[in-house]
Amino acid sequence: MNLPNAITVGRIAATPLIAALPFFDSWELRLLAFVLYLAAAITDYYDGMLARTRGLVTDLGKQLDPLADKLLLVGTLVPMYLLAGSGTSWSLLSPHRLPLFADVVGPMLREGSGGAAYPFLTPVGPIGFPLWMLAVVIGREVFMTVFRSAAARRGVIISAIGPAKWKTGFQSTWVGCAYFWFFAATLAERYHWHALPWRLFAYFNGICGTLTMAGAVFLTLYSLGLYMRRYGGLFASKASA
């Protein structure tokens, strides 16, 4: 196994920790989850570049890299949904309305069930992670995986297009903001942070997370539409033949 493949295997091995650590009510463990996510996101770029520049591209690497990407995606979005709360009463989680502690800018109280939720805090209110967004992002990845496999069986390789690469960038920033917020809000809860500098930082992180979340979801749907326009005819022509 060469170095790029070993790095990819390391990302796969770290994903269960990245997914599990945010559920512990400990700012230290949530900080560790954030650091591990940063390492996974950075090495995702580095191992591919290393393989291409040093001629280390292998069939194993071609299989492992997308697998690592999909596992990391699910391993971060599901905890984000469960911890941020959807903000809608019809979802699996009750909405969040009030601060968990009156003198703390950080976690929010879930209505009905109690307990903490960690939505993005913005000047217009808390912004959760709706279930439909989770379904759109993960559903698109599953669909494109099947679509690419079907196209490959017909001899067509579907490469990543520009909007899809931008989608990955927005998605990574969104996840990074959320994971950082889980750690920072837990720390704020412990030390009862509420001063103006902290409030401004919480809003800054919340705005960045909300905007990149919206951008990632838009580019998820936009890039899917471009793929269908470019390659959908491949299957239509086969069917008519």
Side-chain angles (χ1 to χ4, degrees):
M1 180 179 294
N2 61 31
L3 180 58
N5 290 348
I7 294 173
T8 303
V9 169
R11 283 196 289 125
I12 293 173
T15 296
L17 283 175
I18 295 171
L21 288 176
F23 292 107
F24 291 90
D25 189 18
S26 163
W27 70 264
E28 295 94 342
L29 293 179
R30 287 174 174 170
L31 173 59
L32 178 58
F34 172 68
V35 171
L36 287 174
Y37 173 73
L38 279 184
I42 292 170
T43 55
D44 182 27
Y45 167 78
Y46 180 72
D47 61 4
M49 181 189 68
L50 191 65
R52 290 189 298 271
T53 57
R54 298 192 179 183
L56 297 175
V57 177
T58 64
D59 291 337
L60 177 62
K62 291 178 181 178
Q63 294 175 355
L64 287 178
D65 192 64
L67 173 63
D69 292 343
K70 302 301 183 291
L71 289 175
L72 185 62
L73 179 69
V74 175
T76 52
L77 292 189
V78 171
M80 284 165 56
Y81 171 73
L82 294 174
L83 287 171
S86 69
T88 55
S89 58
W90 52 265
S91 74
L92 298 176
L93 299 175
S94 56
H96 34 69
R97 288 290 181 270
L98 302 171
L100 187 63
F101 298 101
D103 61 340
V104 175
V105 178
M108 306 292 291
L109 178 67
R110 299 187 194 275
E111 287 185 355
S113 63
Y118 298 87
F120 289 128
L121 299 187
T122 72
V124 298
I127 305 295
F129 183 13
L131 182 59
W132 70 265
M133 283 191 180
L134 176 68
V136 164
V137 175
I138 292 182
R140 185 265 193 197
E141 296 302 322
V142 172
F143 176 81
M144 283 304 303
T145 298
V146 175
F147 189 74
R148 277 193 169 97
S149 298
R153 288 196 294 270
R154 290 165 170 78
V156 177
I157 303 300
I158 300 179
S159 301
I161 58 177
K165 295 178 181 178
W166 277 97
K167 181 234 1 151
T168 300
F170 272 78
Q171 200 167 268
S172 297
T173 307
W174 165 31
V175 174
C177 287
Y179 264 65
F180 183 85
W181 181 241
F182 297 155
F183 138 69
T186 307
L187 197 60
E189 175 186 342
R190 177 171 177 176
Y191 292 105
H192 289 258
W193 291 348
H194 62 274
L196 181 60
W198 165 246
R199 186 183 299 271
L200 292 175
F201 177 79
Y203 286 165
F204 172 76
N205 185 82
I207 291 170
C208 289
T210 300
L211 292 178
T212 51
M213 175 175 67
V217 173
F218 169 76
L219 289 169
T220 292
L221 296 172
Y222 179 65
S223 61
L224 178 62
L226 291 180
Y227 280 125
M228 292 301 97
R229 189 175 68 179
R230 293 185 185 185
Y231 298 103
L234 171 68
F235 300 94
S237 63
K238 289 288 183 180
S240 61

